[in-house]
Amino acid sequence: MREAAKNVFVASRLPKRAGVSGWVATLAPRAPRPALSEAVSVDVAIIGGGFAGLSAAHRLSRLDSTVRVAVLEAGIISEGPAGANSGFIIDLPHEVSSDDFSGESEGKFRDSVLLQRSAIAFATELAAENGWGKELFDPCGRYSIAMSTEGDKHLEAYSLQLGKMGEAHRLLKGQEIEAVTGSGVFTSALFSPGTIIIQPAAYVRGVADCLKEPVRLFERTPALSFERSGDSWLVKTPKGSVLAGKIILANNGHAESFGFFRGRLLHVFTYASLTEEFDPARLGGERKWAATPALPMGTTVRRINTGGGDRILVRSRYSYNPGIEISDAAIRSAGRLHDSKFARRFPGLAGVDMQYRWGGAMALTRNHVPAFGEIERGVFAACGCNGLGASNSTAAGMAAAERVLGHDSELGRVYSRLAAPVLLPPQPLTTIGAKIHLAYREWQAGTE
């Protein structure tokens, strides 16, 4: 509960894992960094060790190699929402909203591209420095894929808008996309070459493991509260504490757990399933590709190859969960939908079962802006990913780090132009409206 008069902010809840991510399960177990067990003093404390928090830590150290940083991760790196991500660091918006492409929408498009390409540049630099292979970080681009007339029309319209912006892309017809996916059910696709495809759990582990002193990472160390202590902030954890000059909240929807952005964040979960390994000879096409849906809230599909064979990822279904947790029953229910979508898309893989199922939390705002900026003196938020965790959260973490150090950049100027998250309707209208809206958008996506 937030007590602003006393400058005390206490977590009302802690993050909970939503199933076992297949990305995590297919990696060797992680040996986590030690939990914080003493009192330490730093310049900046970062609450959250996902895309935003780890990117903020790196950006701080790049700008000032002497800055002392403590990153507090409630669980184990990669086992939170970042490791449940579908693994697209996208460089272009999924769609451009305005048919006539006014100056305002063009400006928003350019700003969005700048944010997302800043995230890609950051990730690309880390990949090059650390020699990450394509199994972790692959600049192979992505497909937006259709399997209906409505989807085809949407991709054609999007292609025209991208053309007006001078963005490289390519439209593929049915046989061309079948050569990629090995499935004849897809009717068209739009390929954009700038997206990076990652193994998200391996990626965030890699980003965490290349942090260097004086940046310290503490896993299994949830921040229970923080309070003003003179000119600094005292962050309390189960077995220790951090005295920090400044704080970056990089815990997405859980910023609300400390009392911030109340009534301004929509807590939405999306769900994924990953098949067991299958013989690659059973499915033609390329052995590695990644596709987002042609229509919003459709089905994301990825094919990945591992040492023992290939797997298919299916992501679909959205639910509104204001308590920021979901039940096993919700995961099973989404899994049944995934099974039908998988069977529809890959009839030649009959008998291949799903091995892992999980959910991932997102924090959305009504006006589609991040929950960002200095929210108390010396406390900076890099939250509200709006469903694009890998790209938006990375960019927000970088921009928050720059703001902490007073660094001016084009990225920071874009964030300074963004509006604040607007209030949601009062309850129960928000719950009713969110559930109806999600159900309608999924219905609208149809076969996609």
Side-chain angles (χ1 to χ4, degrees):
M1 181 177 180
R2 182 175 174 179
E3 302 176 49
K6 298 180 181 179
N7 284 316
V8 177
F9 305 91
V10 181
S12 60
R13 56 198 166 191
L14 296 176
K16 294 185 178 180
R17 192 165 69 173
V20 178
S21 164
W23 299 118
V24 174
T26 53
L27 293 175
R30 176 174 173 79
R33 302 276 185 93
L36 179 63
S37 59
E38 59 183 339
V40 299
S41 296
V42 297
D43 300 305
V44 184
I46 299 174
I47 299 176
F51 291 112
L54 296 173
S55 302
H58 274 282
R59 187 63 177 146
L60 287 168
S61 64
R62 296 285 171 103
L63 292 173
D64 182 352
S65 62
T66 68
V67 69
R68 298 169 301 154
V69 180
V71 181
L72 307 179
E73 167 53 36
I76 296 174
I77 292 292
S78 79
E79 294 188 6
N85 190 275
S86 291
F88 295 74
I89 310 181
I90 70 168
D91 67 326
L92 296 173
H94 286 309
E95 60 180 327
V96 182
S97 59
S98 175
D99 291 335
D100 62 2
F101 219 63
S102 66
E104 181 181 1
S105 62
E106 180 178 343
K108 289 180 179 178
F109 178 91
R110 293 295 186 202
D111 284 350
S112 178
V113 169
L114 187 145
L115 298 186
Q116 289 158 192
R117 287 184 174 156
S118 295
I120 286 174
F122 164 84
T124 301
E125 185 175 0
L126 279 185
E129 289 175 356
N130 293 281
W132 294 339
K134 289 188 176 181
E135 72 285 352
L136 187 159
F137 180 93
D138 192 350
C140 61
R142 72 174 166 105
Y143 297 90
S144 292
I145 200 166
M147 52 188 301
S148 68
T149 301
E150 188 65 28
D152 295 338
K153 291 179 180 177
H154 187 87
L155 292 183
E156 289 170 2
Y158 185 34
S159 174
L160 289 174
Q161 291 169 330
L162 291 179
K164 292 177 183 177
M165 299 303 294
E167 294 290 348
H169 68 284
R170 182 165 60 94
L171 276 173
L172 292 81
K173 298 302 182 183
Q175 288 186 333
E176 293 175 293
I177 193 60
E178 182 177 359
V180 174
T181 65
S183 173
V185 305
F186 300 114
T187 52
S188 67
L190 186 147
F191 178 72
S192 50
T195 292
I196 306 295
I197 303 300
I198 59 174
Q199 205 285 28
Y203 173 83
V204 292
R205 288 185 185 186
V207 177
D209 290 343
C210 63
L211 291 170
K212 297 180 176 64
E213 291 282 353
V215 178
R216 300 175 67 188
L217 168 64
F218 300 97
E219 298 181 55
R220 292 175 172 164
T221 304
L224 304 179
S225 67
F226 57 91
E227 61 190 72
R228 173 63 67 182
S229 178
D231 291 331
S232 300
W233 290 93
L234 182 66
V235 184
K236 296 181 180 180
T237 70
K239 297 181 180 180
S241 63
V242 181
L243 187 66
K246 295 178 181 177
I247 292 174
I248 295 177
L249 275 184
N251 53 352
N252 209 18
H254 275 284
E256 189 177 82
S257 301
F258 287 95
F260 297 102
F261 304 110
R262 279 187 176 160
R264 298 176 190 272
L265 297 178
L266 286 165
H267 303 288
V268 173
F269 278 76
T270 186
Y271 301 81
S273 296
L274 185 66
T275 68
E276 62 191 1
E277 291 178 326
F278 60 86
D279 182 351
R282 293 193 59 182
L283 182 65
E286 299 175 5
R287 290 191 60 197
K288 185 178 183 182
W289 50 269
T292 52
L295 297 178
M297 296 186 67
T299 304
T300 293
V301 184
R302 281 186 62 175
R303 182 176 181 176
I304 62 174
N305 47 74
T306 57
D310 289 9
R311 298 178 187 266
I312 298 288
L313 170 88
V314 176
R315 189 192 74 176
S316 187
R317 175 58 53 84
Y318 296 81
S319 65
Y320 172 63
N321 303 87
I324 323 184
E325 61 180 277
I326 54 175
S327 65
D328 291 341
I331 295 174
R332 289 194 298 270
S333 175
R336 290 190 288 272
L337 176 66
H338 297 162
D339 291 344
S340 65
K341 288 179 176 290
F342 174 71
R344 173 80 182 274
R345 286 158 175 77
F346 303 101
L349 294 179
V352 174
D353 294 326
M354 295 295 177
Q355 187 172 1
Y356 304 105
R357 303 190 193 275
W358 67 95
M362 303 184 295
L364 315 180
T365 61
R366 190 178 182 184
N367 53 334
H368 310 292
V369 297
F372 180 87
E374 190 168 11
I375 51 179
E376 290 283 333
R377 183 165 57 90
V379 180
F380 299 80
C383 304
C385 66
N386 283 289
L388 298 176
S391 48
N392 283 354
S393 293
T394 295
M398 295 167 61
E402 293 178 356
R403 190 162 293 190
V404 162
L405 295 181
H407 177 79
D408 181 54
S409 73
E410 191 174 2
L411 175 66
R413 288 192 289 275
V414 170
Y415 275 96
S416 69
R417 292 196 293 268
L418 295 174
V422 299
L423 275 170
L424 300 167
Q427 291 290 7
L429 295 180
T430 289
T431 295
I432 295 169
K435 291 185 175 182
I436 291 174
H437 179 74
L438 291 173
Y440 173 72
R441 293 298 295 273
E442 287 193 276
W443 172 83
Q444 198 174 39
T447 57
E448 302 294 341

